Amino acid sequence: MARLVLSLDGQALAEYNMSRERYTIGRLPDNDIRIDNPAVSGHHALIINILNDSFLEDLNSTNGTYVNGEIVKKHALQHGDVITVGHHALRFVDSETDDAEDEFQKTMLIRPREAAAILGSSVASQPAAPAPSPAVAVPPRARLQVLSGQFAGREVELVKTLTTLGRPGVQVAAITRRADGYYIVHVESGREGDYPLVNGTPIGAVARRLQDNDVVQLAGVKMGFFAS
């Protein structure tokens, strides 16, 4: 079953299970998902669930409905889509996909505290986490899509300044989001000189800028880098 997670400024406020065919979103009390905020229209948007598919439609709202930062009139929802209504965000979660992605994240994504320890231990000997350039511009949204193994097709949105991934003791790399793009840098590996590959070539000890459609190989997993 799909669900929506309502948040404001990154703070989760409520969760809604998509168990019915229609859900209206808006400011007025008669909406299924009420968001009492002046930036939200009385009846702002509609979600229709048909079998295993969910569709979002803007109801001619004053300020528009956005999905992943782009304004939409109609949109077929996918797992991980973020709907923006006024100042609030609604993350669309497909429970079946979410379970599989959780397992992938446990396997490949390194949590911030663990990442800090790994980066801290390696910073003296190699450029593990280069500081982002001052944000004079925001690079396009980007993501990694797994191309091989049991998690093929899974995606990781690169929304943080620093995303650390891999398997400690095997191979770890960090991807930094900077004003001029995304860079991958080697952090550690179980064997000396065992660097991640980009398009089949080891990146070495220096941060490498990623280009759209690059193929990254890390800890035995191939991932495509896509800038959108």
Side-chain angles (χ1 to χ4, degrees):
M1 179 188 299
R3 65 184 190 276
L4 289 173
V5 180
L6 175 66
S7 63
L8 177 64
D9 297 329
Q11 182 68 41
L13 302 177
E15 187 171 305
Y16 304 88
N17 289 323
M18 300 282 99
S19 57
R20 293 187 283 111
E21 183 180 337
R22 294 168 59 91
Y23 285 82
T24 56
I25 304 168
R27 190 181 69 254
L28 296 178
D30 62 345
N31 286 281
D32 300 297
I33 300 174
R34 186 189 182 197
I35 304 176
D36 188 10
N37 186 284
V40 179
S41 296
H43 296 101
H44 197 107
L46 169 70
I47 292 178
I48 299 176
N49 298 307
I50 302 175
L51 297 176
N52 294 324
D53 296 317
S54 298
F55 302 90
L56 172 71
E57 181 177 351
D58 178 76
L59 298 177
N60 297 316
S61 62
T62 301
N63 294 319
T65 301
Y66 294 77
V67 176
N68 302 329
E70 297 185 2
I71 193 165
V72 300
K73 283 296 183 182
K74 294 184 179 181
H75 178 80
L77 290 167
Q78 303 292 326
H79 173 71
D81 279 350
V82 176
I83 305 164
T84 303
V85 177
H87 304 297
H88 289 69
L90 287 156
R91 183 172 183 267
F92 180 78
V93 179
D94 183 323
S95 298
E96 292 184 3
T97 303
D98 194 45
D99 289 343
E101 290 196 351
D102 283 346
E103 186 60 34
F104 169 71
Q105 291 180 7
K106 291 176 186 176
T107 304
M108 285 294 291
L109 288 184
I110 299 175
R111 295 178 180 179
R113 287 186 181 179
E114 296 171 340
I118 295 170
L119 294 172
S121 66
S122 61
V123 70
S125 59
Q126 54 184 298
S133 304
V136 296
V138 178
R141 292 175 63 92
R143 70 188 191 280
L144 290 174
Q145 184 181 65
V146 182
L147 304 176
S148 65
Q150 62 176 316
F151 301 113
R154 306 302 179 197
E155 294 188 352
V156 176
E157 294 284 342
L158 300 174
V159 296
K160 299 178 182 178
T161 302
L162 177 70
T163 301
T164 310
L165 64 165
R167 296 171 185 162
V170 178
Q171 202 172 52
V172 175
I175 295 179
T176 61
R177 180 168 62 91
R178 298 154 76 170
D180 60 341
Y182 294 81
Y183 289 77
I184 183 170
V185 61
H186 170 70
V187 175
E188 69 165 24
S189 61
R191 295 178 297 162
E192 185 177 354
D194 184 22
Y195 297 110
L197 307 179
V198 174
N199 301 329
T201 302
I203 65 172
V206 179
R208 169 168 173 163
R209 185 178 180 182
L210 291 169
Q211 304 291 336
D212 190 30
N213 292 312
D214 275 351
V215 175
V216 176
Q217 186 167 340
L218 173 69
V221 177
K222 285 186 178 181
M223 294 171 281
F225 173 81
F226 300 102
S228 55

